[in-house]
Amino acid sequence: MEYNSYGKVDAKRIMDSHDSPCVGFFYEEEKSRMTYLEDRQETELEAGIVGRVVYGNEGYVWSGNRPNFTDVAYTALPTGEQVRDRCHSVSWETLVAITLDILNYGWKMDERQKYEAEYGINFLTNTMIGLKYFYEDEELIEDGDMYEEGLLIASRELQRAYRKQENVDIRATSYLRTLNSCIYNLRYEERPEYHWNRSVQGAYDPRKWCFVNETLQVVNDETGRLGTPVSVTNYSAFDGKPEVTQSGFYLTHQFDGFLLRRLWDQRITDLLDSVKIYIYHGLDAEGNAVMASSSNEFSTGEYKFDDYSTHFECEGAWQEF
């Protein structure tokens, strides 16, 4: 699947707007849809199919299995053998950690902290919806309208429950269940023969990456080891991007830059115990510096960790993890 070149501009305009798509009235039809989702969720919970958010001595935690993907996700994304290999760009574990950290930050605290926690949920919701501006696939975006409606409802209801301190566990479960199926955050494994889906697991799954050595030569990327190293000034993925001045891994797709920039935003990280995003990379048996990604043409295997840094584009510069 390809992404447009103007998505970054559109997404920034939308996401920086004060007219948040999460702000609005709660209509009767939304109530009806929410009741349907809750009834279905209760059926699955009783059957032991999925887990839920519970409140205990350590605040809100997720208890049980990851929820199944919704019908919208199965309908919108490619089918066939690859249906079993869907994975997240931002992992389920990360989405849970961020959401519950935000809720625990403001629970039974002063009004300012509660407001900031509500804003954090709103910010996370907008970030997931904003990912659609990186797609050219009009059919996927059209299918996404139904998903967005469900996520906005779940987000508003969670914020409403949080404000009243009533049924937060139920609303948070619905929200996370919907967030798990964000179709713009889901991808099918592009190299199923290498099983990178299972190798990435709870780490961030980048779209495109490259490795720059100490002499500022790109020696390999997600397509494999380059036969002839390429200077960073001649590597096409760096066209129009900030100057590369040090070795390490670089995430070169604007999808990754936008998403990580949002999740590293101070408005989010101030609400978390620590940054919840990490990326696997290391050296394979042949000495190639490899980053775990579903886009890889590198085969999976045993890797030893390396000390290289990872960089993503942020506000006209490279931000180091």
Side-chain angles (χ1 to χ4, degrees):
M1 186 175 293
E2 298 295 326
Y3 313 94
N4 63 42
S5 59
Y6 53 84
K8 181 177 180 181
V9 176
D10 286 354
K12 188 176 190 307
R13 174 178 58 79
I14 294 295
M15 305 310 291
D16 289 347
S17 169
H18 294 293
D19 299 324
S20 164
C22 286
V23 176
F25 297 100
F26 194 68
Y27 298 105
E28 290 300 321
E29 57 265 30
E30 291 180 337
K31 291 182 180 179
S32 175
R33 178 171 174 78
M34 200 66 199
T35 299
Y36 163 76
L37 291 174
E38 287 173 354
D39 289 345
R40 177 172 175 174
Q41 175 180 291
E42 279 303 311
T43 300
E44 292 181 342
L45 288 171
E46 291 173 3
I49 298 175
V50 297
R52 69 174 81 199
V53 174
V54 297
Y55 184 74
N57 295 332
E58 299 182 358
Y60 291 106
V61 298
W62 180 269
S63 176
N65 299 325
R66 191 191 79 181
N68 295 322
F69 291 132
T70 62
D71 291 342
V72 172
Y74 278 116
T75 300
L77 294 179
T79 57
E81 287 299 313
Q82 292 170 319
V83 72
R84 297 174 300 184
D85 294 317
R86 293 201 181 123
C87 50
H88 303 78
S89 291
V90 179
S91 71
W92 161 250
E93 292 85 354
T94 298
L95 292 173
V96 171
I98 291 177
T99 301
L100 298 186
D101 256 17
I102 291 173
L103 295 181
N104 289 325
Y105 169 85
W107 184 246
K108 293 186 177 179
M109 300 295 182
D110 60 41
E111 290 302 315
R112 178 187 62 82
Q113 287 178 290
K114 288 181 182 178
Y115 171 81
E116 290 175 350
E118 286 184 50
Y119 180 84
I121 295 299
N122 195 50
F123 191 88
L124 180 58
T125 302
N126 288 342
T127 296
M128 292 295 106
I129 291 177
L131 295 176
K132 72 178 180 180
Y133 294 99
F134 295 91
Y135 284 85
E136 284 184 340
D137 191 333
E138 295 181 0
E139 184 175 343
L140 176 63
I141 293 177
E142 182 178 345
D143 290 338
D145 289 343
M146 183 181 300
Y147 167 76
E148 289 174 38
E149 177 189 358
L151 181 60
L152 291 173
I153 293 171
S155 177
R156 283 196 291 265
E157 279 297 275
L158 174 56
Q159 293 174 64
R160 179 191 294 268
Y162 194 80
R163 197 175 308 125
K164 294 181 177 180
Q165 299 187 21
E166 296 177 353
N167 299 320
V168 178
D169 53 347
I170 296 174
R171 300 305 186 188
T173 299
S174 295
Y175 178 73
L176 282 169
R177 180 179 184 275
T178 309
L179 203 61
N180 177 61
S181 291
C182 177
I183 61 176
Y184 312 121
N185 185 46
L186 288 175
R187 54 197 297 196
Y188 59 91
E189 190 175 356
E190 297 173 19
R191 311 293 177 193
E193 66 272 23
Y194 296 144
H195 305 297
W196 276 105
N197 186 359
R198 290 190 286 276
S199 296
V200 174
Q201 296 182 344
Y204 181 75
D205 190 351
R207 301 277 167 157
K208 291 183 181 296
W209 61 270
C210 69
F211 177 74
V212 176
N213 67 12
E214 287 75 6
T215 61
L216 301 185
Q217 302 276 317
V218 179
V219 294
N220 55 277
D221 56 23
E222 77 284 346
T223 66
R225 186 168 185 172
L226 304 184
T228 302
V230 179
S231 169
V232 294
T233 58
N234 295 324
Y235 186 63
S236 60
F238 284 144
D239 290 347
K241 295 188 179 296
E243 183 182 6
V244 175
T245 60
Q246 65 184 92
S247 62
F249 289 92
Y250 286 81
L251 306 185
T252 57
H253 200 293
Q254 59 185 17
F255 177 99
D256 298 320
F258 169 80
L259 185 49
L260 294 177
R261 186 168 67 248
R262 293 283 295 185
L263 296 180
W264 276 60
D265 191 287
Q266 186 174 357
R267 289 168 289 185
I268 282 287
T269 56
D270 282 353
L271 308 180
L272 308 180
D273 292 336
S274 63
V275 175
K276 304 295 183 182
I277 304 168
Y278 57 98
I279 299 178
Y280 286 143
H281 52 76
L283 302 176
D284 66 10
E286 298 179 356
N288 300 310
V290 179
M291 177 171 283
S293 169
S294 295
S295 301
N296 278 346
E297 287 193 2
F298 281 94
S299 48
T300 55
E302 295 297 324
Y303 292 87
K304 59 180 181 180
F305 290 105
D306 60 67
D307 296 324
Y308 293 109
S309 56
T310 302
H311 309 260
F312 66 95
E313 189 177 358
C314 181
E315 298 180 354
W318 291 108
Q319 169 74 46
E320 185 175 328
F321 265 64

